[in-house]
Amino acid sequence: MKKFLYLALLLPLGQRASAQHAASLTARLDKVSLTVALAANGQPTYAVHYGSKTVITPSRLGLAFASGQGFEGPLVLTGSDTKEVDDTWQPVWGEVKSIRNHYRQLTVHLRQAAAPGRRLDVVFRVFADGVGFRYEVPQQPGLTYFTVQDELTEFNLPGNHKAFWIPGDYDSNEYTYSTTRLSEVDTTPIEPIQQKSDPHRIQTPLMLKSDDGLYVNIHEAALVNYPAMFLNVNTQTFGLRSQLVPDATGTGAKAYLQAPEHTPWRTIVVSDKAPGVLASKLILNLNEPSALTSTEWIRPQKFVGVWWEMHVNKASWNYADTSNIKLGGTNWNRLKPNGRHGANTANVKRYIDFAATHGLASVLVEGWNVGWEDWAGNWKEEVFDFVTPYPDFNVAELQQYAHSKGVKLMMHHETSSSVTNYERRQDAAYRFMREHNYDAVKTGYVGRIIPRGEHHDGQWMVNHYVHTAQKTAANQIMVDMHESVRPTGLHRTYPNWLASEAARGNEFNAWSTGNPPEHETILPFTRLMGGPMDYTPGIFQIQLESWNPAQNKGKQVHTTLAKQLALYVTLYSPLQMAADLPEAYEQHLDAFQFIKDVAVDWDDTRVLLAEPGEYITTARKAKGKEEWYVGSITDENARTQTLKLDFLTPGQRYEATIYADGPGASWNKNPMAYQIRKQQVTSRSTFKLQLAPGGGAAISLKPVQK
Ligand code: NOJ
Ligand code: CA
């Protein structure tokens, strides 16, 4: 076996290996090594090591087609190619200014042993922090259109790792994480998973930790024209098997493709340190460069919104308390207002004033357009038209008012998951936006999808999200998608796609059992591996009774106030909401200063301390400035975090403003106690941060002029 091991590496780069000699091919970069082999039964497998440790034991590769004529039968190896790439690129926005893309590529050419002898390539890229691979179906005689019925990819793990997982719901990622051994993965007790068929089906990004100290993350990159990949866990052997999201036909079909075509990349990020996983740029590197011809109109930004007041039941999205509304058939002016409608002109002006006073770029307004009386839950096709305001929302007046204050309004398109309806109306909706000076839209997909039977994470919807990113880009519109499929790094290709939700956001703290304090320490290791999240941090009025005493009895957000500040740094996004109401911030303008100051675009990022499910401390350098911001968060346990400020420029003095949990603070008993202090520091200083249970700390570091 050993003598074949380095065959691919011994060949000069770019040369083609001949088939007959190669039983096994390898590629390596630093500690990461890949072995691809063809088993005696003609099944191709791959394995991954990190130094002397095993990441993936030999695991199957392959695609099965609907006709049964896929690549599940015996294959032969007909050759391989290698190449090495080492370059750098600059993202339009991001966590760092410049990204190194260094990998060794191994392309394995396979052919069916029996007739019709179809060809399949598997392309592997080995990075210093993991491996990506994808299937490529080349142009070939006798294969044009084909349906992928199953992907046979496996990720066999060498042990019963600790796993951070959410259940494999094809329509939602809005779950809290379970932390169990792989042998204990069982989604049955969790409500409300919509498809109960397999209690061992979970979602990616999947975060794993091995007993021998490896941190492994499994996900995918560049999900286009293909369904999302879920994973079925074998709780006895610790094998994971790819499970693609089915389409609406009920035939088990997953993807309809036309050769030449390729699948998304399957990604395995590995490090012996937890911060190494968070620093990985592997998924971005596997995505295509920006497809946009101009990007100067894309602006990372902070925003407020007529939003949380609906989630805490102080106001409503709907204008009337009635139902049985029909687009085109209802006279909105005749409806009796319910007196609680949040998106009224006067209230929106209040938010515009607040944004203008505090230098925030924009104001999201939800519930501005007709249809909310009848949205979600009815599986009805014509819910919203995206252009008709309620009678108390004056589009022209607000356009003018926002403009006069130097603030943008952010559009909201809740589709109620009637996606066919949205697609029919997108052109008119974006034209309306351009006419009224909106340049960003938050979309949403609450409820069951129309076309009926499609899933949020299937091929049809995946194409819709990409189509929406392209269509908004063509109109120079930035987009933030809620309830979309979880991201896979496509914001590199479509940098106007600033963020997605696609996880359980802060809003769950308003009206459900909420998010446990550990939640935000897991998100960067899971959901955020694929891209930025619109988590909506910044809740200051943590006890929600003050907004609606009758309905919010005892309800509170599971956080301390200082932790809400830290989230602006630990949860990366170029789009960050200051989610609370203006009147909540006005009570605590000293703490609000951090939200005003913190950047949303960065030249550098250092993850200083991290352990999934426990704590994260991250430092980031603001774009084009000498300023740094630090966020530090913990789970339900109090902690002391000691950090060295050696990332600061040597010789420079900085004024540090430290926003910390106050004495006796805790997420459940005393969440709003905080203290702010200032101190001068240099790159030689160290900090000891005391984090309260469920708490955090935020620090701004600004240079002191000499
Ligand atoms: C769910 C979204 O996540 C939330 O932000 C929004 O307010 C509601 N849907 C209504 O569209
Ligand atoms: Ca949501």
Side-chain angles (χ1 to χ4, degrees), residues 453-476:
E454 290 296 345
H455 294 296
H456 283 73
D457 294 354
Q459 184 191 24
W460 197 92
M461 282 302 290
V462 162
N463 286 341
H464 168 77
Y465 307 125
V466 172
H467 160 92
T468 297
Q470 291 167 336
K471 222 174 172 43
T472 47
N475 286 282
Q476 300 209 337

Side-chain angles (χ1 to χ4, degrees), residues 113-234:
R118 282 180 180 148
R119 291 188 290 119
L120 174 71
D121 292 343
V122 192
V123 181
F124 293 89
R125 289 188 182 167
V126 179
F127 297 80
D129 57 357
V131 173
F133 64 90
R134 74 179 184 191
Y135 301 99
E136 299 190 354
V137 180
Q139 183 103 51
Q140 55 194 291
L143 179 63
T144 310
Y145 310 102
F146 58 100
T147 305
V148 174
Q149 199 76 4
D150 270 311
E151 190 176 307
L152 308 175
T153 308
E154 292 176 352
F155 305 85
N156 293 328
L157 301 163
N160 190 8
H161 296 348
K162 184 178 180 184
F164 300 84
W165 56 268
I166 54 174
D169 188 332
Y170 296 147
D171 287 283
S172 177
N173 330 79
E174 300 188 359
Y175 291 90
T176 57
Y177 290 89
S178 296
T179 306
T180 70
R181 294 279 172 173
L182 285 167
S183 59
E184 291 154 356
V185 168
D186 181 2
T187 67
T188 29
I190 300 165
E191 294 293 335
I193 183 169
Q194 293 188 31
Q195 303 80 30
K196 299 264 182 204
S197 56
D198 191 333
H200 303 133
R201 186 171 72 222
I202 58 177
Q203 303 202 35
T204 74
L206 172 64
M207 187 65 212
L208 300 162
K209 185 181 178 185
S210 72
D211 288 341
D212 61 355
L214 286 186
Y215 295 85
V216 179
N217 182 280
I218 297 175
H219 188 38
E220 61 181 313
L223 172 58
V224 176
N225 195 29
Y226 205 75
M229 178 181 72
F230 286 56
L231 297 171
N232 275 315
V233 183
N234 184 322

Side-chain angles (χ1 to χ4, degrees), residues 293-313:
T293 43
S294 79
T295 55
E296 71 293 336
W297 52 274
I298 298 171
R299 292 171 300 116
Q301 60 188 282
K302 287 173 277 188
F303 67 107
V304 287
V306 179
W307 181 77
W308 186 248
E309 58 178 279
M310 280 87 91
H311 285 272
V312 295
N313 237 308

Side-chain angles (χ1 to χ4, degrees), residues 690-702:
Q690 310 287 353
L691 311 183
I699 307 170
S700 65
L701 294 146
K702 299 184 187 182

